[in-house]
């Protein structure tokens, strides 16, 4: 996969492999199959943060803030309340459409979601960015791995990630595991 190879060259993954994920169990718990690019991303990096900015969510992470299932449940609850008084984004107006979070932006309250639409294979899911502390949603017609690579290379057509572009201006990209950030204790 070209995008994963490009990402690994740009931002080297951890030296040791992350914990294995039981994908069948993870997908049953989530109630949806997951995109192949996401699975490869998780199998290469595991839970952690890219360039002090983008946290990758992983099924059954030892850390609730990085756990795909915990965050999906929490986001479902928060968005259900939000959409009682605020309109859903255009892509979610379709009956049966939903979002599943796959990452969040450090310190901003913003989440990156997949736009899950009925009849679409997970590899066709696109990315929705929600600023978190406001009503704006931004759609990106690409998968999660391509979007992450675009963010890290400053080629994403987005109004967000200014902290990464303007303040950090990384010359060498870095991935830190959740264990490196939080320690090995977990939940």
């Amino acid at each position: 996969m070209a995008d994963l190879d490009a990402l690994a060259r740009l931002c080297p993954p951890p030296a040791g492999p992350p914990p294995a994920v039981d994908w069948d169990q993870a997908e049953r718990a989530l109630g949806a199959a997951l995109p192949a690019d996401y699975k490869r991303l998780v199998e290469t990096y595991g839970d952690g943060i890219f360039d002090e900015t983008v946290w990758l969510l992983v099924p059954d992470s030892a850390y609730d803030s990085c756990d795909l299932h915990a965050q999906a449940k929490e986001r479902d609850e928060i968005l259900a309340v939000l959409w009682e008084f605020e309109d859903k984004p255009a892509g979610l107006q379709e009956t049966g459409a939903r979002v599943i979070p796959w990452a969040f932006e450090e310190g901003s309250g913003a989440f990156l979601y997949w736009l899950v639409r009925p009849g679409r294979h997970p590899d066709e899911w696109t990315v929705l960015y929600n600023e978190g502390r406001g009503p704006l949603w931004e759609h990106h017609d690409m998968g999660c791995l391509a979007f992450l690579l675009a963010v890290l290379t400053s080629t994403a057509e987005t109004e967000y990630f200014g902290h990464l572009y303007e303040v950090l201006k990384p010359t060498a990209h870095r991935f830190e595991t959740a264990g490196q950030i939080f320690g090995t204790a977990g939940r």
Side-chain angles (χ1 to χ4, degrees):
M1 161 164 259
D3 284 343
L4 184 57
D5 291 342
L7 180 62
R9 282 191 305 275
L10 179 73
C11 186
V21 173
D22 180 341
W23 291 111
D24 290 336
Q25 171 59 28
E27 291 173 335
R28 275 193 304 276
L30 196 58
L34 291 165
D37 67 336
Y38 169 74
K39 291 178 183 179
R40 287 190 290 275
L41 183 61
V42 167
E43 290 165 351
T44 303
Y45 288 90
D47 53 2
I49 188 168
F50 291 88
D51 286 349
E52 301 175 19
T53 304
V54 180
W55 283 94
L56 180 62
L57 301 177
V58 173
D60 301 319
S61 171
Y63 309 92
D64 283 343
S65 62
C66 296
D67 183 66
L68 176 69
H69 298 109
Q71 290 299 321
K73 182 178 185 221
E74 182 177 300
R75 302 312 307 163
D76 283 348
E77 292 168 0
I78 288 168
L79 292 174
V81 171
L82 176 71
W83 289 329
E84 287 178 7
F85 59 89
E86 192 174 288
D87 289 336
K88 290 180 180 182
L92 289 172
Q93 299 293 336
E94 180 181 357
T95 301
R98 68 186 256 215
V99 291
I100 298 174
W102 60 271
F104 66 92
E105 186 179 5
E106 171 67 24
S108 70
F111 271 81
L112 290 161
Y113 296 92
W114 288 292
L115 173 57
V116 180
R117 298 175 60 206
R120 293 279 175 105
H121 188 275
D123 294 341
E124 299 174 321
W125 294 352
T126 56
V127 172
L128 281 176
Y129 177 97
N130 175 244
E131 66 181 340
R133 295 188 176 118
L136 300 179
W137 290 77
E138 191 177 80
H139 181 256
H140 299 274
D141 195 21
M142 62 184 75
C144 65
L145 182 53
F147 182 74
L148 178 60
L149 184 58
V151 165
L152 296 181
T153 57
S154 302
T155 59
E157 293 182 20
T158 178
E159 296 295 319
Y160 302 100
F161 299 103
H163 173 39
L164 179 62
Y165 299 148
E166 297 158 13
V167 178
L168 291 178
K169 296 181 186 172
T171 54
H173 296 275
R174 183 168 72 143
F175 178 82
E176 293 175 273
T177 66
Q180 290 171 310
I181 301 291
F182 300 125
T184 57
R187 295 179 204 222

